[in-house]
């Protein structure tokens, strides 16, 4: 049974899709790598952003709601999402964000200097420096995420005993972990648990963990079932296959295969430039194109 080596993607609910695009593309410098629809609610976009090298463990995705239905952050959700940036670039980032009139705060949330800020729709983000040398300040991928678990001990046992994350020493009351893969993603369980959250604009919907292939995904499915977790059937998400589960602290975890990847329906240089629909929705393309707001790409 393989252990979990890294984050696959993180998915959040935000507001206006063009405000979302402007923030992640123009302010954070990420690349829109896929425009599609929410397969479970095709009236809503599903926008995927990655870095410019298509690195694994960088994909952040959004359901941009246009109904003004803001959520409430709290237990049962992923909290702050942190990105990793090159060595020595933190001050540049601080100035860059301030120049866009974005409020920043320096904390030690991830056990290291953490530059905290929020996106255009109230989603909590952060930047943490890594030891990587680079001649620019571009985001290198996720640094990690905070889990707002309603049951920190239950979540901790799942992360360490089943998923193989390593617990780190920490100077605060939070639980800190790191994935054992090359990326060493940092996961923080925030203590004490907060009141229960409600999904809506400005909240994170789920975190997905990377699983190498379909056989491993099925192994995870049966292992999690055996441990008493509620697990879904395998869903075909076009770019990966996945299962969803509710963990003990009510945070939605997804386990997603690395393949087939984002090149199944468009070439690398064209990623994100056109609306892509899975086969079952292609017949209604005109309807979606009329319904969905046009993106300023
Ligand atoms: Zn997902």
């Amino acid at each position: 049974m393989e252990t979990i080596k890294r984050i696959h993607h993180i998915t959040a609910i935000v507001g206006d899709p063009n405000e979302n695009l402007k923030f992640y593309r123009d302010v954070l410098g990420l690349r829109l790598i896929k425009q599609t629809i929410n397969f479970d609610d095709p009236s809503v976009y599903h926008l995927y952003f990655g870095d410019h090298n298509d690195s694994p463990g960088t994909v952040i995705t959004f359901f941009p709601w246009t109904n003004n239905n803001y959520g409430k952050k709290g237990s049962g959700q992923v909290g702050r999402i942190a990105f990793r940036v090159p060595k020595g670039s933190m001050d540049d980032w601080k100035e860059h964000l301030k120049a866009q009139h974005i409020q920043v705060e320096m904390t030690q949330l991830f056990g290291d200097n953490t530059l905290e800020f929020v996106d255009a729709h109230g989603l909590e983000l952060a930047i943490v420096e890594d030891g990587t040398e680079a001649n620019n300040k571009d985001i290198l991928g996720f640094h990690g995420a905070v889990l707002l678990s309603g049951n920190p001990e239950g979540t901790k046992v799942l992360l360490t005993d089943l998923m193989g994350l390593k617990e780190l020493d920490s100077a605060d009351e939070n639980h800190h972990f790191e994935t054992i893969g090359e990326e060493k993603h940092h996961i923080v369980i925030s203590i004490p648990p907060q009141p229960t959250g409600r999904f809506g604009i400005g909240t994170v919907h789920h975190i997905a963990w990377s699983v190498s292939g379909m056989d491993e995904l099925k192994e995870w499915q049966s292992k999690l079932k055996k441990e008493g977790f509620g697990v879904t059937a395998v869903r075909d998400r076009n770019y990966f296959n996945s299962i969803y589960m509710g963990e003990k602290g009510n945070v939605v975890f997804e386990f997603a295969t690395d393949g087939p990847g984002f090149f199944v329906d468009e070439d690398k240089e064209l990623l994100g430039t056109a609306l892509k629909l899975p086969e079952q929705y292609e017949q209604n393309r005109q309807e979606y194109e009329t319904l969905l707001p046009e993106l300023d790409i």
Side-chain angles (χ1 to χ4, degrees):
M1 186 80 203
E2 66 174 7
T3 49
I4 294 300
K5 298 191 177 58
R6 61 177 174 86
I7 296 169
H8 185 286
H9 66 270
I10 297 178
T11 297
I13 304 163
V14 292
D16 180 86
N18 279 307
E19 289 171 11
N20 174 246
L21 177 61
K22 277 195 190 115
F23 191 90
Y24 288 87
R25 180 192 60 192
D26 303 343
V27 177
L28 294 189
L30 295 176
R31 178 184 180 201
L32 178 67
I33 57 168
K34 194 66 70 184
Q35 10 166 343
T36 184
I37 51 174
N38 180 346
F39 295 180
D40 300 324
D41 177 7
S43 67
V44 173
Y45 269 123
H46 193 181
L47 302 180
Y48 289 67
F49 292 82
D51 68 15
H52 289 261
N53 306 312
D54 309 304
S55 317
T58 319
V59 178
I60 184 163
T61 90
F62 299 98
F63 299 135
W65 289 5
T66 49
N67 58 9
N68 238 5
N69 191 357
Y70 275 77
K72 178 176 162 258
K73 293 181 184 73
S75 273
Q77 296 174 357
V78 175
R80 197 172 291 276
I81 299 166
F83 295 102
R84 196 169 275 168
V85 297
K87 190 177 176 181
S89 67
M90 188 75 106
D91 286 341
D92 286 353
W93 273 102
K94 202 193 271 181
E95 291 316 310
H96 170 69
L97 293 172
K98 278 184 181 168
Q100 318 277 328
H101 309 288
I102 296 164
Q103 274 192 0
V104 296
E105 191 188 352
M106 192 64 92
T107 70
Q108 292 287 315
L109 178 65
F110 281 90
D112 214 332
N113 288 337
T114 304
L115 186 67
E116 297 188 4
F117 57 102
V118 298
D119 82 352
H121 301 111
L123 200 69
E124 295 180 336
L125 302 175
I127 275 173
V128 178
E129 253 184 42
D130 162 74
T132 308
E133 305 272 358
N135 51 14
N136 58 47
K137 64 174 171 60
D138 291 355
I139 285 176
L140 300 163
F142 287 125
H143 179 71
V146 174
L147 303 181
L148 306 176
S149 169
N151 175 349
E153 283 309 311
T155 305
K156 176 179 154 169
V157 169
L158 171 63
L159 290 180
T160 54
D161 294 6
L162 256 70
M163 293 167 58
L165 276 74
K166 189 175 121 195
E167 185 160 17
L168 303 171
D169 288 334
S170 65
D172 58 23
E173 67 274 22
N174 296 333
H175 293 315
H176 291 238
F177 308 87
E178 142 183 301
T179 57
I180 57 144
E182 205 183 319
E183 292 82 7
K184 303 246 179 302
H185 288 145
H186 283 237
I187 302 299
V188 172
I189 299 178
S190 140
I191 310 280
Q194 300 183 8
T196 306
R198 187 186 68 247
F199 288 129
I201 296 171
T203 63
V204 182
H205 189 265
H206 62 263
I207 183 165
W209 306 98
S210 171
V211 167
S212 54
M214 195 58 140
D215 290 346
E216 290 76 13
L217 186 65
K218 287 184 177 154
E219 278 178 30
W220 272 106
Q221 188 187 35
S222 57
K223 180 165 179 173
L224 291 166
K225 269 187 195 163
K226 211 181 287 169
E227 295 288 331
F229 292 103
V231 188
T232 67
V234 173
R235 307 254 169 91
D236 177 359
R237 295 315 197 188
N238 221 17
Y239 311 110
F240 49 86
N241 289 285
S242 68
I243 54 172
Y244 298 81
M245 66 165 284
E247 56 88 43
K248 292 200 169 127
N250 294 320
V251 181
V252 180
F253 278 13
E254 180 181 5
F255 291 74
T257 57
D258 288 340
F262 297 109
F263 305 143
V264 288
D265 57 2
E266 59 192 338
D267 291 341
K268 187 172 175 173
E269 60 274 17
L270 292 176
L271 283 182
T273 55
L275 180 67
K276 291 291 162 188
L277 299 173
E279 229 173 77
Q280 70 269 32
Y281 290 120
E282 196 56 64
Q283 58 191 7
N284 302 323
R285 172 174 283 276
Q286 212 176 355
E287 185 191 327
Y288 301 131
E289 287 184 340
T290 314
L291 191 72
L292 295 164
E294 200 177 329
L295 292 179
D296 303 329
I297 57 167

